[in-house]
Amino acid sequence: MSTDIQKSGEFLKVTISGLPFEKCTWTLGNGVEVCHQDVGILVFKSPNAKRNVVISSGIHGDETAPIELVDKLAKSLLAGDVTPQANVMLVIGHPDAINAHTRFLKENMNRLFKQENDTANIERVIANRLQHCVTEFFRLDSISGEKWHLDLHSAIRGSKHYMFAVLPHTTKPQQNGSLAVFLQQSAMDALMISDAPSGTFSWYSAEHHDALAATLEMGRVAPLYHNDLSEFEFLEKALISLMTEGDAKSANWIEGKTAVYQVCRTIYKTSNSFKLGFSGSAENFTWFPSGSLLAEEDGKTYVADEDGESVVFPNANVAIGQRACLLVKPVSISTEGKITVQCILPEAH
Ligand SMILES: [Zn+2]
């Protein structure tokens, strides 16, 4: 691959070209140093970096809107139309799955960030490489300021909330109120606060690097270049602000504008007899009244609790041992400093 192609601004085309890769670095007219570090990994180092931002896509190969959005951001940065006041790492994660128009080839990659993996399949190899690259990025010699990681996905099913963000659970005492405000400004319809470690890419950055991190579910999957990026106008603006504004804006959380849910239970599939108690095509955040059958397995049943519960990411076809469904409840939060759940709200259904 010639370096001219790498410098052309066609980050996505280069990433999925399958051409042999060579690392290359160059400096833009605005003084920003670019490093095409590895396949699908583009790093911008600003001389005036106030924060450090990872924006990743393509962890699932068929979730194409995020891939197109990251490609668009790469074009703006490489052309010098956007001058970052931050170090920025853009990721297009899984070129082989993108070319195969599939979520993954062997294994769901977004479960492979819990620890370094063996190298048994391509997803494990890529997840290891991404862990190393993110670690290297967040440990740049010159690093100072906040660390952020937005991992962009698309939902594989319909959702009561078209755009929503999942905040990973971390043991770190994060001052993450600004993350909630950022997500609200990105026009996320809902936030979901996780209750347990998950092995996702955003969890990795939150837990290991104390980054303000979230997984964003942007609408529905569609073929590459068949997405309407105007749907993500507010997200794009918020990402550009995060990269370009040296000082954090003093925006406030607007109560009631964004629905917030807390995960209260996780149902795992532990045998092949596992069945959901409702249609497999149910939308994310579908609410079930108290006593509704949610799942059954080997004679054991799971039913909605006394308040009723909403389901997110239901999937009976996961591997044994994996999560088959999350159960969530609407909550009210405070974003002063750290996100704190104030109280559980009655479900508006
Ligand atoms: Zn995904």
Side-chain angles (χ1 to χ4, degrees), residues 59-63 103 108 110 151-156 215-217 221:
I59 300 306
H60 294 135
D62 59 348
E63 297 175 4
R103 187 171 165 80
N108 180 357
N110 213 20
D151 184 33
L152 312 183
H153 289 248
S154 305
I156 51 175
T215 305
L216 276 62
E217 299 285 350
V221 294

Side-chain angles (χ1 to χ4, degrees), residues 22 25 43 70 96 99 107 125 131 163-164 198-200 219 223 249 267 271 280 327 329-330 346:
E22 242 178 83
T25 59
V43 174
V70 163
D96 288 352
N99 283 326
E107 194 175 358
V125 170
Q131 290 181 31
M163 305 251 283
F164 64 98
S198 58
T200 62
K249 277 193 297 183
I267 299 178
S271 93
L327 302 175
K329 287 177 191 279

Side-chain angles (χ1 to χ4, degrees), residues 264-267 274-278 286-297 299-311 325-329:
C264 42
R265 289 199 284 164
T266 303
I267 299 178
F274 183 91
K275 273 195 302 196
L276 292 169
F278 49 87
T286 298
W287 184 80
F288 289 91
S290 176
S292 306
L293 179 65
L294 299 173
E296 54 188 321
E297 183 178 56
K300 182 178 180 193
T301 59
Y302 298 87
V303 297
D305 76 6
E306 66 278 9
D307 304 319
E309 289 168 292
S310 298
V311 299
C325 184
L326 291 173
L327 302 175
V328 303
K329 287 177 191 279

Side-chain angles (χ1 to χ4, degrees), residues 2 104 112 122 128 137 142 149 152 154 158 175 177 193 200 219 239 261 290-291 301 308 323 325 332 337 348:
S2 82
F104 54 82
L112 297 175
I122 186 163
N128 289 350
F137 177 73
S142 57
H149 181 178
L152 312 183
S154 305
Q175 297 296 302
I193 301 170
T200 62
L239 289 170
Y261 294 83
S290 176
T301 59
R323 176 190 83 196
C325 184
S332 159

Side-chain angles (χ1 to χ4, degrees), residues 13 66 90 94 102 116-118 141 178 224 237 252 270 274 276 286 291-292 322 344:
K13 282 193 181 137
L90 299 180
H94 198 336
T102 184
E116 180 149 359
N117 307 285
D118 61 33
D141 289 344
S178 56
L224 198 58
K237 275 189 189 152
N252 290 318
T270 59
F274 183 91
L276 292 169
T286 298
S292 306
Q322 287 197 354
I344 292 177

Side-chain angles (χ1 to χ4, degrees), residues 181-201:
V181 174
F182 167 87
L183 293 167
Q184 186 168 69
Q185 292 186 328
S186 304
M188 291 292 124
D189 302 305
L191 312 186
M192 186 171 84
I193 301 170
S194 304
D195 67 338
S198 58
T200 62
F201 196 14

